[in-house]
């Protein structure tokens, strides 16, 4: 079956712009979580959506937002981009909330570079 | 903020060697621990989901143990192969918190 699909794979944006990243989870998975990885940092939790509702949010500024659609696809938006937002953004899906019982299935990520 | 540590940070072993590394986490309010393998240019892949103190899980040559009372989990690889080269991540969750990922152990298996 198809895995977790993230688009685009690479993105270059200018400071001050906004960006939208997309994630299509595995069919039947209702939970979608987003993570940020920057050099020297572990995976940092951004937020989790389950059944179109944001269930949890990490310690990121309000410039980071997301949503989930009825087909479980999710989008993440970052407004007023800063250089420090340059990172690999990973989406992970799970059939259960927080991937507690089955773990997460990750996408390949979107590499965002802010110049 | 929960602190999840992994040691060593990186490891180089020869093909055929067995190896192990550690994930340390707060011992209070344990809920679950996951192990992932992240190969270069690929996505992190779930290896084990562990929820009970004393859990032992095995997948081929890789196994993991869990001690929630003292706050650690070990990952073992028996007879390492070059294809085992990857970064191994643990992710810890307690009640009321999201999963927190450790910084990872980068394993290189030399042929």
């Amino acid at each position: 079956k198809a895995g977790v699909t993230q688009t685009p794979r690479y993105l270059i944006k200018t400071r001050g712009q906004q960006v939208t990243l997309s994630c299509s989870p595995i069919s039947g998975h209702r939970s979608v979580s987003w993570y940020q990885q920057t050099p020297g940092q572990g995976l940092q939790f951004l937020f989790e959506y389950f059944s179109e509702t944001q269930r949890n949010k990490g310690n990121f500024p309000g410039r980071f937002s997301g949503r989930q659609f009825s087909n479980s696809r999710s989008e993440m938006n970052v407004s007023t981009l800063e250089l420090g937002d340059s990172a690999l953004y990973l989406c992970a899906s799970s059939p259960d909330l927080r991937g507690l019982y089955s773990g997460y299935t990750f996408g390949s990520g979107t590499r965002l570079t802010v110049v | 903020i929960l602190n999840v540590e992994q040691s060593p940070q990186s490891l180089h072993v020869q093909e055929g060697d067995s190896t192990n590394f550690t994930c340390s986490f707060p011992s209070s309010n344990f809920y679950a621990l996951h192990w992932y393998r992240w190969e270069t240019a690929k996505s992190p892949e779930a290896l084990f989901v562990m929820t009970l103190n004393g859990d032992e899980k095995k997948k081929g040559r890789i196994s993991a143990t869990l001690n929630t009372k003292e706050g650690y989990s070990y990952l073992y690889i028996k007879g390492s192969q070059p294809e085992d080269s990857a970064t191994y991540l643990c992710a810890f969750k307690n009640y009321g918190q999201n999963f927190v990922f450790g910084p990872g152990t980068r394993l290189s298996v030399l042929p």
Side-chain angles (χ1 to χ4, degrees):
Chain A
K1 60 183 176 182
V4 178
T5 304
Q6 289 189 247
T7 56
R9 290 293 305 274
Y10 302 93
L11 205 48
I12 300 176
K13 289 286 188 178
T14 305
R15 262 186 309 177
Q17 286 187 312
Q18 76 164 23
V19 66
T20 299
L21 313 182
S22 179
C23 172
S24 295
I26 288 176
S27 178
H29 284 197
R30 295 163 63 192
S31 167
V32 174
S33 296
W34 289 88
Y35 286 85
Q36 180 198 64
Q37 191 198 35
T38 51
Q41 297 281 331
L43 292 173
Q44 303 291 314
F45 173 75
L46 281 155
F47 25 66
E48 178 181 22
Y49 287 86
F50 186 86
S51 295
E52 301 178 66
T53 302
Q54 186 182 91
R55 299 304 180 110
N56 292 286
K57 191 175 192 306
N59 294 325
F60 280 82
R63 300 184 297 105
F64 291 81
S65 63
R67 58 179 175 169
Q68 186 180 34
F69 301 96
S70 58
N71 61 357
S72 293
R73 189 177 71 86
S74 176
E75 287 182 347
M76 187 192 108
N77 185 74
V78 187
S79 63
T80 319
L81 284 165
E82 301 177 359
L83 295 179
D85 297 333
S86 296
L88 177 68
Y89 291 88
L90 286 169
C91 164
S93 77
S94 171
D96 54 287
L97 187 61
R98 301 193 184 114
L100 278 172
Y101 304 109
S102 54
Y104 291 122
T105 301
F106 284 86
S108 299
T110 294
R111 172 78 61 185
L112 172 65
T113 302
V114 182
V115 297
Chain B
I1 297 176
L2 300 176
N3 194 27
V4 178
E5 298 177 347
Q6 290 188 247
S7 61
Q9 185 176 1
S10 65
L11 194 56
H12 296 263
V13 301
Q14 290 292 138
E15 182 176 355
D17 286 351
S18 293
T19 187
N20 66 85
F21 19 93
T22 307
C23 172
S24 301
F25 49 84
S27 56
S28 59
N29 297 321
F30 175 88
Y31 200 93
L33 186 102
H34 294 175
W35 280 99
Y36 291 85
R37 174 171 58 202
W38 194 356
E39 296 177 66
T40 302
K42 294 188 177 179
S43 311
E45 171 198 359
L47 287 174
F48 303 116
V49 172
M50 310 183 84
T51 56
L52 297 174
N53 183 45
D55 257 355
E56 292 187 24
K57 298 281 178 91
K58 188 175 180 185
K59 189 183 226 182
R61 294 178 292 97
I62 305 177
S63 60
T65 61
L66 178 67
N67 184 323
T68 62
K69 296 188 186 307
E70 295 183 38
Y72 64 84
S73 175
Y74 292 142
L75 189 80
Y76 301 91
I77 302 179
K78 183 178 177 182
S80 302
Q81 300 296 308
E83 57 264 31
D84 296 328
S85 297
T87 296
Y88 291 84
L89 299 170
C90 67
F92 162 78
K93 182 184 174 355
N94 70 1
Y95 285 93
Q97 299 284 339
N98 304 299
F99 274 102
V100 175
F101 280 78
T105 291
R106 184 185 297 272
L107 174 67
S108 296
V109 182
L110 308 173

